[in-house]
Amino acid sequence: MLADMIIIAAGAATSALANGPTTLFIGQFLVGVGVGIDFPVSSTYISEVSPKRSRARMMVATIACQSVGMLFAAAITVLVLKNVGGAQNWRLFLATEGVIALLFFLLRLSEPDSPHWLMTRGKFGEAAQAFIRIMPEQREAVLQFIGNAGEKSLPDSVAPAKPLGIAILFSRPYRARTVLVAVPWFFMDIATYGVGLFTPIILGAIDISGRTRGLIMHDLAAARGSAAIDLFLLFGFLLGIWAVPRFGRIRMQAIGFGSMVGGC
């Protein structure tokens, strides 16, 4: 979670200082690698540190931050286009992602490792401290457990997890679950990013304002249109945070994909 923010910041800096298409491609490739790392890692971290009663909402909220970021990006774009003239203002857009990545890097420095991860490494004392930081209301229970078991006997009382390779995902017990997660997510990303990344271009081609003049005003109209569409995405995520614990993940996933089909 720290390394991916450094990768994103490095990619953003490379992109903002690019002097040609090749350098820009390399910079954005690094940003994509950092984002690709952060998606599964941050979701796993939230799942491991969240209490069971709030885990579903926290997982949905983690993904919902994507819509907040898209809306925030559109707002930055509108602000820059309104106040910064010139054809080089795209460098400021790309630089902002590096600044935000460094901010999250600093915020994450104070976060503890996942207690589950620490326990699989045999670091039971550190796992107990991390658990207390995450759920301070359970401090007495954790300290009592440590006191009763003893630091030296903990490894004997808790069986260390065996390291599992990626092949476990495609084994018979997990194959159906892997397909259930991977295939819908893959198709959703085609729709989300395939359309989302090109939304400003689509809106620019339609020329939603009908009265834009010049390159800056044309981009400004597209940015405003993107922000309006992103608001609906945020509304959907907020609805999901409320609905998933009540109606279940599978049912809400079916409703979500059915709505996407209807929208097309």
Side-chain angles (χ1 to χ4, degrees):
M1 291 177 65
L2 295 175
D4 57 28
M5 290 297 106
I6 293 297
I7 294 173
I8 292 174
T14 302
S15 302
L17 300 173
N19 57 1
T22 301
T23 310
L24 181 61
F25 175 83
I26 293 173
Q28 288 301 288
F29 178 81
L30 288 174
V31 171
V33 170
V35 173
I37 294 173
D38 196 69
F39 254 105
V41 173
S42 59
S43 298
T44 303
Y45 182 82
I46 292 297
S47 175
E48 291 181 354
V49 302
S50 299
K52 186 177 181 180
R53 63 181 180 274
S54 60
R55 189 172 301 152
R57 284 195 177 93
M58 290 299 296
M59 289 295 294
V60 177
T62 302
I63 307 299
C65 288
Q66 172 186 341
S67 64
V68 177
M70 293 171 68
L71 188 61
F72 186 60
I76 291 176
T77 303
V78 172
L79 184 65
V80 172
L81 288 173
K82 275 188 173 183
N83 297 281
V84 180
Q88 296 294 313
N89 50 21
W90 59 271
R91 297 183 185 275
L92 290 176
F93 305 150
L94 299 176
T96 54
E97 62 186 358
V99 173
I100 294 173
L102 288 176
L103 174 62
F104 273 92
F105 173 81
L106 295 175
L107 292 173
R108 289 178 174 184
L109 284 174
S110 60
E111 295 302 314
D113 277 316
S114 160
H116 176 78
W117 182 84
L118 290 169
M119 290 179 68
T120 61
R121 298 305 187 275
K123 302 178 180 180
F124 299 98
E126 294 180 35
Q129 295 175 8
F131 189 82
I132 291 173
R133 286 189 58 188
I134 295 168
M135 298 185 66
E137 67 274 12
Q138 299 292 329
R139 177 184 178 87
E140 295 302 324
V142 174
L143 291 178
Q144 183 177 2
F145 175 76
I146 295 294
N148 292 338
E151 180 70 25
K152 293 183 180 179
S153 62
L154 273 175
D156 298 328
S157 60
V158 182
K162 296 180 180 179
L164 301 175
I166 194 172
I168 190 70
L169 297 175
F170 303 97
S171 62
R172 186 178 296 274
Y174 295 100
R175 193 179 303 154
R177 304 179 199 182
T178 300
V179 172
L180 179 64
V181 173
V183 174
W185 188 272
F186 173 74
F187 284 115
M188 187 196 72
D189 278 353
I190 292 178
T192 302
Y193 295 109
V195 175
L197 289 176
F198 292 98
T199 296
I201 298 175
I202 296 172
L203 293 176
I206 298 174
D207 197 10
I208 59 171
S209 69
R211 51 185 173 80
T212 56
R213 295 294 183 271
L215 179 63
I216 300 299
M217 291 304 296
H218 186 77
D219 290 343
L220 186 58
R224 287 172 174 168
S226 299
I229 293 175
D230 291 340
L231 280 174
F232 289 99
L233 182 63
L234 178 60
F235 174 76
F237 275 123
L238 293 176
L239 182 62
I241 293 174
W242 173 83
V244 165
R246 289 170 172 79
F247 303 107
R249 296 167 179 83
I250 302 298
R251 183 180 299 177
M252 288 306 302
Q253 187 177 58
I255 293 173
F257 280 111
S259 300
M260 292 175 69
V261 173
C264 294

